[in-house]
Amino acid sequence: MTLILFIISLGFALLIFTKYKVYSLYFLISHYFLIDLYNYKFGNDDALTFLSKSYREILLVFLFFYFFLNIEKLKKQYVSSIVLVILIIILLGVGAYYNGFSNAVLDWRYTLSPILIALLLSISGILNLEILRKISTFLLLLVTLNSFIIIIQYYSFDGNFQGNWRYDFLNEQNLKINPEYIERMTQYQIVRGDELRSSGVFLSALHAAYITALISVYSFICSILEIKNYRFFYFFIFLTNFIALYLTQVRVGFLIIILSLISFSMCVFLKKYTPRSVIIILIISTILFVSLLFLNQDMLVDSILGRIPQY
């Protein structure tokens, strides 16, 4: 089974060199959505299993090949390619120096590789407006489907958090990292009080909340800007995702919505994206975020302070 999945991953990654590039990106989005369930089902016990879920790394390698094969058409991007290489070397070097090479590679896999994939897709000219619209719609549909799952999970929860599929899996993963891990800490990741922190197909309610918040903003903006016939549809999508976000019980999700809508409003006010407008948005968003923390001291609880490195 794992060998078949590896071959399928390789095939979809190779599509990046064809006119069917968008299917490589559909598979990438699906990979991010289903990776937690895949890890839960197959684990990570051997090299073949690891390779079968390494689609993002395979795609990243092919994107580098695509970039350098088309570099003559992308002369303006020479500087970008040099910056990318230097960035990789510096970040890997710093991570290896402080945490060891294996830890640096693992951290790179989860933090830097998604950014590099996005940058390479952009500077290689793969992402045009048509493809962006297609993958945005695909992402919206997947997130909304997950939101329905979140709602069903929440209202069908019987109070037995230990029976949730995430419980044993989280315990197992945390004990691998820290043999002294206290099992009862897993409870706080699954329930708050007596209520489930629903997450759909994601292992972490945080991850579910982040993507649900962003799609909530996207669907809300579409309900305003799209042609009249589709506005009700997008508003329904927004409402569904907003309810699901609330059921994840992750407060920062609402902060993402607030800051995103402020940024959108400023872009509308400034009429167009310019370096100056982006800088202004970033500065004001940062000031608002910091002010919110200091004005509302109740937010400065251990659970939030402990996640600052994660953010």
Side-chain angles (χ1 to χ4, degrees):
M1 181 63 179
T2 52
L3 178 60
I4 294 172
L5 288 171
F6 172 68
I7 294 172
I8 291 173
S9 297
L10 193 63
F12 271 98
L14 283 169
L15 289 177
I16 205 69
F17 296 102
T18 72
K19 63 180 181 180
Y20 303 107
K21 297 176 178 63
V22 69
Y23 293 101
S24 292
L25 304 183
Y26 287 159
F27 196 81
L28 177 66
I29 294 171
S30 302
H31 168 85
Y32 279 116
F33 260 79
L34 299 175
I35 191 63
D36 287 338
L37 288 177
Y38 186 89
N39 287 331
Y40 172 69
K41 179 68 175 178
F42 295 102
N44 191 25
D45 297 328
D46 55 67
L48 186 58
T49 304
F50 179 80
L51 285 174
S52 69
K53 59 183 181 182
S54 298
Y55 179 72
R56 76 186 86 168
E57 287 78 17
I58 298 170
L59 182 62
L60 183 59
V61 172
F62 286 169
L63 284 172
F64 270 113
F65 278 124
Y66 183 91
F67 176 78
F68 287 110
L69 285 173
N70 294 276
I71 201 163
E72 289 299 322
K73 302 176 185 178
L74 305 165
K75 291 182 178 179
K76 294 180 181 179
Q77 307 298 347
Y78 280 126
V79 175
S80 299
S81 63
I82 294 172
V83 170
L84 279 175
V85 173
I86 293 174
L87 181 65
I88 293 171
I89 294 173
I90 291 176
L91 290 178
L92 277 176
V94 171
Y97 177 79
Y98 285 104
N99 302 304
F101 184 75
S102 60
N103 287 332
V105 171
L106 286 174
D107 287 341
W108 172 85
R109 186 171 187 263
Y110 289 108
T111 56
L112 185 59
S113 66
I115 298 172
L116 282 176
I117 288 173
L119 284 173
L120 285 169
L121 286 171
S122 178
I123 65 178
S124 298
I126 293 174
L127 288 181
N128 55 42
L129 288 176
E130 181 184 357
I131 289 180
L132 275 173
R133 190 171 185 84
K134 286 180 178 179
I135 62 175
S136 296
T137 302
F138 183 70
L139 181 61
L140 180 143
L141 292 174
L142 280 185
V143 173
T144 304
L145 178 61
N146 190 62
S147 291
F148 280 115
I149 296 173
I150 286 174
I151 294 171
I152 293 170
Q153 285 178 343
Y154 181 85
Y155 286 106
S156 61
F157 180 60
D158 61 2
N160 179 23
F161 63 87
Q162 292 178 326
N164 188 281
W165 72 273
R166 295 153 58 199
Y167 184 81
D168 290 334
F169 188 44
L170 279 168
N171 275 332
E172 179 185 338
Q173 297 302 309
N174 285 315
L175 285 170
K176 284 182 180 179
I177 298 171
N178 179 17
E180 299 180 359
Y181 178 76
I182 302 174
E183 186 174 325
R184 65 180 177 84
M185 296 300 294
T186 304
Q187 176 182 346
Y188 303 123
Q189 300 182 51
I190 297 178
V191 293
R192 175 168 288 168
D194 296 325
E195 297 182 347
L196 178 69
R197 302 183 70 181
S198 192
S199 61
V201 299
F202 291 96
L203 181 63
S204 168
L206 288 171
H207 295 165
Y210 296 159
I211 188 66
T212 304
L214 290 173
I215 289 300
S216 295
V217 174
Y218 175 73
S219 55
F220 180 76
I221 292 173
C222 286
S223 71
I224 297 174
L225 300 181
E226 281 289 341
I227 58 177
K228 188 175 181 179
N229 292 342
Y230 291 96
R231 287 182 179 177
F232 178 78
F233 168 76
Y234 278 111
F235 186 77
F236 172 75
I237 296 294
F238 160 73
L239 196 60
T240 301
N241 285 290
F242 190 82
I243 293 170
L245 175 61
Y246 174 77
L247 297 180
T248 65
Q249 302 189 61
V250 177
R251 288 163 291 190
V252 76
F254 295 99
L255 187 60
I256 290 173
I257 289 180
I258 293 170
L259 294 180
S260 298
L261 290 178
I262 290 172
S263 300
F264 169 70
S265 301
M266 292 187 64
C267 288
V268 171
F269 177 75
L270 295 169
K271 302 299 182 184
K272 62 180 180 179
Y273 292 98
T274 63
R276 180 179 296 179
S277 67
V278 173
I279 292 172
I280 291 173
I281 290 169
L282 288 174
I283 291 174
I284 292 180
S285 298
T286 303
I287 292 173
L288 285 171
F289 178 74
V290 174
S291 300
L292 183 63
L293 288 178
F294 280 99
L295 289 175
N296 187 0
Q297 296 296 320
D298 291 337
M299 292 184 66
L300 295 176
V301 295
D302 292 340
S303 62
I304 288 183
L305 290 176
R307 293 195 192 110
I308 287 177
Q310 187 178 42
Y311 297 151

